[in-house]
């Protein structure tokens, strides 16, 4: 919740741009910011969220190469900013690496381009690191995969306490912090800074740093990619396999080479059959057809 009202208060603007291929939480505000079908039942009651196309759309390609696709998506984004009105846009909120939408890194230069557009038009850049923060992708933060990029606001949660305790965090640059020292947002939460959760997080982060867990995830990436590549070679139903550190995903397709289903459904018989086989074999995981996540 806090990352949305924060840039609105800071800039005096209302609009927040997010990608269609995204997930930002289960509250009304988080779902309205979300791009995939889960927002459909929440967005009518939360205004000001504008959707933008990512460099990795599901039904077409921007260009023949990743870099060219990123450049085209950036050009489309600037066009959208201009027509929405730069003076109306408070923030651009992006997952540093797309999470439940397929474990996708952004193309080379894309996040740097988004950062530059935010600087050009006075827009706050928010990095959603709830899934990828704290080392699982081979860097402590997902945004560190994009050289030179520093977000204005960072959100994270899962890795902060290794999910032993429910805890989330928001970090911001000094200029934003200084602003709210004199103009407090007035937002709070019942269990904010709970001492037991904080004690858990402190030990988890200390262990992560002392044992250099991000470096271990980076070292294991080659093995992860190799084993996922073997599945790609053996199974025609797997169209693509990718991983960042130990954060990976398989794209599943039908006999015609098309996604086995859309994320929004309806559930394909092949998807249900695979899900049952996984359960029967004691294999639990994040399976959102056509995306089978691996970790």
């Amino acid at each position: 919740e806090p990352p949305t009202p924060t840039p609105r208060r800071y800039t005096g603007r209302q609009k927040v741009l997010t990608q269609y291929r995204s997930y930002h939480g289960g509250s009304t505000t988080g779902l309205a910011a979300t791009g995939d079908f889960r927002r459909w039942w929440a967005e009518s009651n939360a205004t000001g969220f504008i959707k933008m196309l990512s460099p990795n759309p599901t039904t077409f390609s921007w260009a023949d190469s990743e870099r060219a696709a990123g450049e085209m998506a950036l050009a489309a984004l600037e066009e959208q900013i201009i027509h929405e009105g730069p003076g109306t846009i408070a923030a651009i909120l992006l997952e540093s690496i797309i999470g439940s939408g397929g474990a996708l890194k952004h193309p080379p230069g894309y996040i740097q381009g988004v950062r530059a557009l935010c600087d050009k038009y006075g827009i706050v850049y928010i990095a959603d690191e709830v899934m990828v923060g704290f080392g699982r992708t081979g860097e402590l933060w997902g945004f560190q995969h994009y050289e030179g990029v520093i977000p204005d606001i960072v959100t994270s949660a899962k890795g902060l306490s290794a999910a032993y305790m429910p805890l989330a965090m928001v970090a911001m640059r000094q200029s934003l912090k200084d602003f709210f020292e004199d103009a407090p947002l007035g937002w709070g939460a019942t269990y904010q800074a709970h001492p037991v959760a904080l004690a858990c997080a402190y030990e988890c982060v200390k262990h992560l740093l002392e044992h250099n867990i991000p470096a271990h995830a980076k070292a294991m990436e080659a093995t992860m990619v190799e084993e996922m590549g073997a599945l790609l070679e053996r199974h025609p139903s797997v169209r693509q396999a990718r991983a960042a550190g130990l954060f990976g995903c398989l794209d599943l397709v039908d006999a015609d080479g098309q996604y086995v289903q859309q994320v929004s459904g309806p559930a394909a018989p092949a998807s249900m059959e695979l899900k049952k086989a996984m359960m029967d074999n004691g294999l639990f995981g994040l399976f959102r057809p056509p995306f089978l996540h691996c970790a």
Side-chain angles (χ1 to χ4, degrees):
E1 294 293 322
T4 303
T6 298
R8 285 173 168 169
R9 176 72 177 273
Y10 180 72
T11 63
R13 308 169 182 176
Q14 283 298 307
K15 294 177 184 175
V16 177
L17 269 60
T18 62
Q19 292 183 341
Y20 281 108
R21 199 167 183 175
S22 69
Y23 179 71
H24 295 293
S27 65
T28 298
T29 303
L31 285 172
T34 290
D36 73 20
F37 73 98
R38 286 170 284 189
R39 80 179 193 280
W40 295 348
W41 299 277
E43 62 184 348
S44 63
N45 295 317
T47 61
F49 293 95
I50 309 298
K51 297 300 177 288
M52 56 195 248
L53 288 169
S54 81
N56 300 291
T58 58
T59 60
F60 73 95
S61 297
W62 289 101
D64 293 333
S65 71
E66 278 194 298
R67 183 172 291 277
E71 291 171 353
M72 287 293 293
L74 283 170
L77 174 57
E78 182 161 26
E79 177 87 355
Q80 186 172 7
I81 290 171
I82 291 168
H83 289 293
E84 287 290 342
T88 70
I89 301 170
I92 294 178
L93 167 61
L94 299 178
E95 292 177 279
S96 295
I97 296 176
I98 294 171
S100 60
L104 280 163
K105 290 175 71 174
H106 299 282
Y110 178 76
I111 292 295
Q112 290 90 337
V114 172
R115 172 74 270 184
L117 288 174
C118 287
D119 292 338
K120 180 177 180 179
Y121 293 108
I123 297 168
V124 174
Y125 169 48
I126 307 173
D128 181 340
E129 300 256 349
V130 170
M131 289 190 76
V132 301
F134 294 98
R136 73 188 303 175
T137 69
E139 300 287 352
L140 183 61
W141 299 107
F143 68 79
Q144 290 177 303
H145 288 276
Y146 313 108
E147 186 176 357
V149 171
I150 303 293
D152 297 307
I153 297 175
V154 175
T155 69
S156 196
K158 303 177 190 297
L160 175 58
S161 64
Y164 288 116
M165 291 291 292
L167 186 66
M169 55 147 279
V170 177
M172 63 186 68
R173 300 184 83 158
Q174 189 67 41
S175 58
L176 276 80
K177 178 182 179 296
D178 291 344
F179 175 87
F180 288 105
E181 292 289 345
D182 297 321
L185 196 59
W187 185 91
T190 303
Y191 298 111
Q192 178 183 355
H194 192 285
V196 176
L198 288 177
C200 173
Y202 175 76
E203 293 300 326
C204 287
V205 174
K206 185 168 69 173
H207 179 86
L208 179 143
L209 296 175
E210 287 178 350
H211 295 272
N212 204 358
I213 301 299
H216 179 66
K218 180 179 287 187
M220 291 295 293
E221 179 180 319
T223 301
M224 183 88 157
V225 170
E226 180 181 353
E227 293 301 320
M228 293 174 71
L231 292 174
L232 177 64
E233 291 295 322
R234 289 202 305 269
H235 298 285
S237 57
V238 179
R239 182 167 73 188
Q240 190 179 61
R242 57 190 170 275
L246 293 175
F247 187 58
C249 186
L250 304 172
D251 292 351
L252 304 183
V253 296
D254 59 22
D256 296 323
Q258 303 299 312
Y259 278 141
V260 67
Q261 67 173 74
Q262 290 299 316
V263 176
S264 57
S271 299
M272 299 304 295
E273 187 176 345
L274 176 57
K275 184 175 182 179
K276 182 178 185 303
M278 290 171 62
M279 297 289 286
D280 290 345
N281 285 275
L283 183 60
F284 299 89
L286 178 57
F287 181 31
R288 300 182 67 243
F291 308 122
L292 177 57
H293 291 257
C294 308

